[in-house]
Structure formats: structure tokens, C-alpha cells
Amino acid sequence: MNADAARPTVTTPTTAITPVTAIDENAPAIVRVSTTVNAPLATVWDLHTDIAGWARWNPNVDRVEFSGPLTPGASFNWLTHGLDITSTLFQVVRGERIVWGGPANGIDGVHVWAFEEHDGVVTVHTEESWSGPVVEAQPVELRQALEQSLTDWLSRLKAEAEAEAQAGNR
């Protein structure tokens, strides 16, 4: 058999798509918050990336529809704080980073999560940008709402991951 015939054909798209791997630094609302979690990285990562399970431990998430896979390009629908959101995963680096974003009610959001483990303690950094006409009209109020939402999320993630680690569930 000819070796060239066994090689798959590779096509290159004519338009390059730049993957989103960072927040919009020019957005009118940007929030950065962090927390430390006394649990193994695998516990924190698995809990956070079990997107379909968010509503189980985060009461601010009313519903989530996600059937996977946890790969760039996959989308999920969710309802939080009255916003019905369709988010798309942009980047997934297992145990390190996950980035998603999408539009909701005139807000374009990009959300970056980063995870680092040192001596059995995980630091979770999150940053999110919101842009769009709705945000431009009320940047201070929406930034405050976003900061409260992210602070609550981290608090609940920390509590759930530490409880699971202590119980030996993950």
C-alpha cells in the first residue's frame, strides 16, 4: 500500500478563528476575585467542571443543561440571577483553566477560571468581563452585581469542595 494514500487529507480553513482565552480588558465591567480551598485540585476541578451539577451546590444557579463533552466549542444553557444564558466553552486545560462566554440580555461576558495547587491547598482565580450596551449604560451597578455573584460562587465552591474532601467523596 502506498504510504501517501494512508495519510488523511488535512484541510486548512480559509479564515482563521482566534480562540478566546482571556477576558476583554476594555470592557466597562471587569471583576477579578480569588479564594483558597483546602481540598485536592481534583476535587475542586471536578466539582467546578461538572457543569450539569452546578445547581446542586450553587443556589444562584436555577438550572443547567449540558450534556458535554467538556471541550472547546461545546455549549451549555443555564439560568442564573434571572439571566438565561447560552455559554460556549472556549478553552479547557484540565486541572488548570477553563474559559467560557456568551451573550445574555445585551451583556457579552467572558469568564476565565484558573486553578493552582500548592501543598494541598488550591487557589482559584476567576475573572470576568462584561461588555455591551446594557453594561455601558450602568457600568458601576453591573460591576457590583458581577462582583457579588463571583464572590458568592467562590464561597459556595470552596464550601462544597472542602465538605466533599473532608467526607472523602472525591
Side-chain angles (χ1 to χ4, degrees), residues 98-124:
I98 186 167
V99 180
W100 68 71
N105 297 16
I107 298 170
D108 289 315
V110 176
H111 202 154
V112 175
W113 295 83
F115 303 79
E116 299 174 16
E117 184 175 33
H118 298 287
D119 299 324
V121 176
V122 176
T123 301
V124 181

Side-chain angles (χ1 to χ4, degrees), residues 13 28 73-74 76 106 127 136 144 153:
F76 55 97
E127 56 185 20
E136 291 168 10
Q144 289 172 341
W153 188 298

Side-chain angles (χ1 to χ4, degrees), residues 34-45 47-48 113-125 153-166:
S34 300
T35 194
T36 56
V37 182
N38 293 304
L41 177 59
T43 299
V44 180
W45 176 262
L47 183 63
H48 184 69
W113 295 83
F115 303 79
E116 299 174 16
E117 184 175 33
H118 298 287
D119 299 324
V121 176
V122 176
T123 301
V124 181
H125 303 281
W153 188 298
L154 285 176
S155 175
R156 294 183 188 286
L157 177 64
K158 174 183 175 67
E160 185 68 18
E162 289 177 353
E164 287 191 12
Q166 189 171 39

Side-chain angles (χ1 to χ4, degrees), residues 35-70:
T35 194
T36 56
V37 182
N38 293 304
L41 177 59
T43 299
V44 180
W45 176 262
D46 289 348
L47 183 63
H48 184 69
T49 58
D50 176 14
I51 296 169
W54 287 347
R56 180 181 58 77
W57 56 268
N58 188 341
N60 293 323
V61 176
D62 297 307
R63 73 168 164 73
V64 181
E65 299 164 7
F66 180 65
S67 57
L70 190 69

Side-chain angles (χ1 to χ4, degrees), residues 65-142:
E65 299 164 7
F66 180 65
S67 57
L70 190 69
T71 58
S75 293
F76 55 97
N77 298 309
W78 55 309
L79 180 65
T80 182
H81 298 288
L83 295 174
D84 195 2
I85 306 168
T86 298
S87 293
T88 300
L89 295 171
F90 298 129
Q91 182 183 47
V92 178
V93 180
R94 181 154 181 79
E96 294 180 26
R97 284 175 60 87
I98 186 167
V99 180
W100 68 71
N105 297 16
I107 298 170
D108 289 315
V110 176
H111 202 154
V112 175
W113 295 83
F115 303 79
E116 299 174 16
E117 184 175 33
H118 298 287
D119 299 324
V121 176
V122 176
T123 301
V124 181
H125 303 281
T126 186
E127 56 185 20
E128 187 167 358
S129 61
W130 281 0
S131 59
V134 171
V135 186
E136 291 168 10
Q138 297 183 304
V140 173
E141 296 86 349
L142 289 176

